[in-house]
Amino acid sequence: MSIELRNVTKKVRMGHIKLTYTGLDLAIPDGARVALLGRKEAGLDAIVNLICAADAPDKGTITRTQSISWPIPGAGFLSKHLTLAANARFIARLYETNEEAFLARVAETGRFGDLINARMDECPTEMRSLFCFLIGALLPFDHYIFTGLNAGPKEDRGRIAELVGELAQRAGIVLVGQDAKNAEVLCDRAYVFNEGTATYYDDMEAAIEHFSSIEAREVDEDDFMGADPELEDLVNMDF
Amino acid sequence: MFADIRTQINVIAALTIRELQNLMKGYNYGFAWALLEPLMFIGIMRVARSAFKGLTPPNMQPSTFLILGIVPFYMYIQAVGAVYKSISSSDNLLKFPRVTPVDLAIASALCDFCIYFALFILFIVFFSIYEGAWPPQNPLAVVAAFIALWMLGMGLGFVVGTAARVFPPLKQFVSYYNLANRMMGGMLFVITMFPSSFWPYFTWNPVLHCMEMLRDGWFVTYTSPVASPAYVMEWILGLWLLGLSLERFQRRVPYV
């Protein structure tokens, strides 16, 4: 088993989201393609934090036996005062990969051209989101955690889908969020999160039927970014 | 195990380089302020000491004496603060599964060490040559005392950082501690400036021992009667053991 949450209890307190997961069991086997489906109020960010070891459970145990990516295309850790190249080098150093080779691969795959030497805050939003996606997707992990697949300019979405398809052939995929459409294509099992419970399905149709039956609460006007984790990540960028 | 240690060293190195790069962010005042703050303080103290003669020990050159106290002390305060901040609050970098709060704390403190050590070398070499206090009596002892002070700051940062997760108002106490240490930590005096009957009120403080070791190591004309490297080591080991144990124990405590 690659990632396993056993009898986990976690209080989720994120803005207006207040709920408690009790006795949560979740198993992601080696190479599995799993969707974690839930509306925004299901507190999936907290579950992702537990999987990535960014947070600890209140009770219970979590075991990880393989390498796991960070939530892609997360951008909160990137420095907007540095260039795309400097940020890519940071990731390469962190993951002990050849800096030059990694930078060249990111630049080539994203077709960034001279933009690779531009500061993050001077870069167009869609290219920034593509960059955030690629720096994670181009590193060799055993499991990739995706919180969104709509990165980059619209004309590049096909290439992104191809890249994710390739990753799914050789590694495990955990797709987190409300993207039932992509989950149906990419994943072969799912957990549906709602009101502090997680229901397991090995049939994607049944999982999506359950997920669709959960009504999304009205999103506050102030919380207009809530529906799009990619946009939220970019706005929350550090520094 | 060695592969894990190597990985952790690489993670800390990557985080430290990032911290150093971010000092220059937007070419704002990040790096300049690190340089200016101690420089201004040294300048003010130098002027004050010229005005009130007798406050500086007669057998030590005044600017060199002040630099040996002020720059390492600022580094100590910064190390406490950097570790405290990394341990007591959440950070986006923790989303990386291989980054832990301890890595962030060490990287942040290492960044401060790099800045202040560079400043220290720059100031002390220039002023000690200018004042005729060059070369130092024992450069290794000076570097060892500087590193000990940094380790001491990190150890204290771990303890108060973890304690602040269950008792956030502790931040205020850290400010008071720093203020008290500015006056009692030997930044601006050596122990021989006081009658020996007062020494027990100062010598419990490991920071004072480090300051004494710095002056003892630099000046041929000064031998500290109280400096004890073993006492400092005991404090470092005690604080690190307590701090890391508390950090391990409190991982399940949610960030405030």
Side-chain angles (χ1 to χ4, degrees):
Chain A
M1 205 61 73
S2 185
I3 305 163
E4 191 170 10
L5 279 69
R6 218 173 303 144
N7 202 20
V8 161
T9 298
K10 182 71 190 169
K11 267 187 192 171
V12 183
R13 299 287 180 269
M14 288 176 166
H16 67 284
I17 304 168
K18 289 182 177 62
L19 57 96
T20 305
Y21 283 95
T22 313
L24 178 66
D25 290 308
L26 188 146
I28 300 173
D30 300 354
R33 288 170 287 142
V34 183
L36 306 183
L37 296 170
R39 301 290 178 197
K40 185 166 171 55
E41 55 272 15
L44 278 179
D45 282 353
I47 304 297
V48 171
N49 283 348
L50 291 178
I51 291 173
C52 293
D55 198 0
D58 301 337
K59 281 182 192 162
T61 54
I62 300 174
T63 49
R64 305 168 195 86
T65 55
Q66 290 190 317
S67 64
I68 307 164
S69 78
W70 63 90
I72 300 168
F77 49 82
L78 294 175
S79 176
K80 69 176 183 179
H81 297 283
L82 298 179
T83 61
L84 301 189
N87 276 301
R89 282 178 199 280
F90 163 64
I91 299 291
R93 276 193 290 268
L94 197 62
Y95 280 91
E96 298 165 303
T97 303
N98 183 297
E99 283 179 41
E100 295 307 323
F102 180 67
L103 181 58
R105 196 152 172 239
V106 170
E108 188 191 326
T109 313
R111 296 172 190 161
F112 290 109
D114 291 340
L115 215 53
I116 198 79
N117 292 316
R119 275 169 46 148
M120 285 291 283
D121 55 357
E122 290 166 356
C123 200
T125 309
E126 53 189 19
M127 293 309 277
R128 230 185 300 174
S129 74
L130 178 62
F131 175 77
C132 295
F133 184 87
L134 289 177
I135 52 172
L138 294 179
L139 281 172
F141 292 109
D142 295 321
H143 263 278
Y144 292 84
I145 298 173
F146 290 109
T147 52
L149 296 175
N150 297 327
K154 277 189 180 155
E155 60 271 21
D156 280 345
R157 300 273 164 91
R159 283 195 308 128
I160 295 291
E162 263 177 47
L163 180 62
V164 174
E166 279 170 32
L167 293 178
Q169 297 296 315
R170 65 165 180 81
I173 297 271
V174 179
L175 184 60
V176 186
Q178 311 188 51
D179 190 353
K181 198 173 144 194
N182 276 319
E184 193 170 17
V185 177
L186 275 173
C187 303
D188 51 20
R189 65 192 78 187
Y191 286 86
V192 179
F193 290 80
N194 185 34
E195 294 178 348
T197 59
T199 315
Y200 174 71
Y201 292 93
D202 54 10
D203 173 7
M204 284 307 292
E205 270 184 39
I208 289 167
E209 197 179 331
H210 179 185
F211 174 67
S212 306
S213 71
I214 304 167
E215 279 184 38
R217 279 188 213 158
E218 278 184 28
V219 178
D220 296 342
E221 275 183 31
D222 293 343
D223 199 22
F224 70 98
M225 299 170 306
D228 188 346
E230 176 197 324
L231 185 58
E232 194 177 19
D233 266 343
L234 287 169
V235 172
N236 290 339
M237 193 176 282
D238 202 5
F239 304 114
Chain B
M1 190 183 85
F2 288 112
D4 291 341
I5 292 171
R6 200 180 58 221
T7 297
Q8 187 165 21
I9 290 170
N10 286 333
V11 167
I12 290 169
L15 293 170
T16 308
I17 293 168
R18 182 181 183 275
E19 284 258 338
L20 287 167
Q21 285 175 327
N22 270 323
L23 283 175
M24 303 287 206
K25 56 183 172 188
Y27 303 105
N28 283 334
Y29 307 113
F31 191 77
W33 186 241
L35 181 87
L36 280 175
E37 199 185 1
L39 195 62
M40 277 164 52
F41 194 60
I42 290 164
I44 291 165
M45 292 315 298
R46 182 71 185 86
V47 170
R49 296 218 161 206
S50 302
F52 303 101
K53 291 202 189 316
L55 288 176
T56 312
N59 52 350
M60 288 180 247
Q61 288 77 354
S63 297
T64 310
F65 173 81
L66 287 174
I67 290 163
L68 280 167
I70 292 169
V71 180
F73 188 81
Y74 265 79
M75 188 266 307
Y76 168 77
I77 297 277
Q78 291 293 331
V80 175
V83 174
Y84 170 90
K85 193 171 165 238
S86 305
I87 293 290
S88 63
S89 54
S90 187
D91 193 296
N92 274 322
L93 288 162
L94 292 173
K95 296 259 182 193
F96 291 110
R98 57 169 52 191
V99 175
T100 65
V102 175
D103 297 328
L104 289 176
I106 295 174
S108 191
L110 195 56
C111 175
D112 287 325
F113 180 84
C114 293
I115 295 165
Y116 281 93
F117 192 68
L119 284 181
F120 180 67
I121 296 295
L122 194 75
F123 289 168
I124 200 80
V125 169
F126 177 79
F127 280 98
S128 65
I129 290 172
Y130 176 72
E131 289 186 325
W134 180 266
Q137 183 196 192
N138 186 348
L140 273 182
V142 173
V143 173
F146 199 94
I147 292 171
L149 203 54
W150 179 65
M151 299 283 285
L152 206 57
M154 285 178 72
L156 185 65
F158 276 119
V159 174
V160 292
T162 46
R165 284 185 64 180
V166 286
F167 186 60
L170 195 73
K171 191 178 179 185
Q172 202 57 40
F173 291 97
V174 175
S175 310
Y176 295 145
Y177 164 79
N178 285 340
L179 188 65
N181 230 344
R182 272 172 199 259
M183 291 182 272
M184 297 182 65
M187 178 170 67
L188 301 172
F189 64 85
V190 282
I191 197 78
T192 51
M193 293 163 77
F194 295 94
S196 58
S197 56
F198 284 93
W199 291 2
Y201 299 110
F202 293 103
T203 50
W204 62 269
N205 186 355
V207 175
L208 178 102
H209 285 259
C210 290
M211 292 298 173
E212 289 286 310
M213 283 154 61
L214 281 162
R215 267 88 182 230
D216 189 328
W218 195 276
F219 293 108
V220 184
T221 50
Y222 182 68
T223 304
S224 172
V226 295
S228 166
Y231 182 70
V232 174
M233 280 302 293
E234 283 165 18
W235 267 93
I236 290 171
L237 286 174
L239 286 173
W240 273 76
L241 186 66
L242 180 64
L244 290 177
S245 304
L246 285 172
E247 195 279 327
R248 178 74 189 85
F249 181 69
Q250 292 204 359
R251 281 186 195 165
R252 285 175 190 262
V253 176
Y255 289 106
V256 180

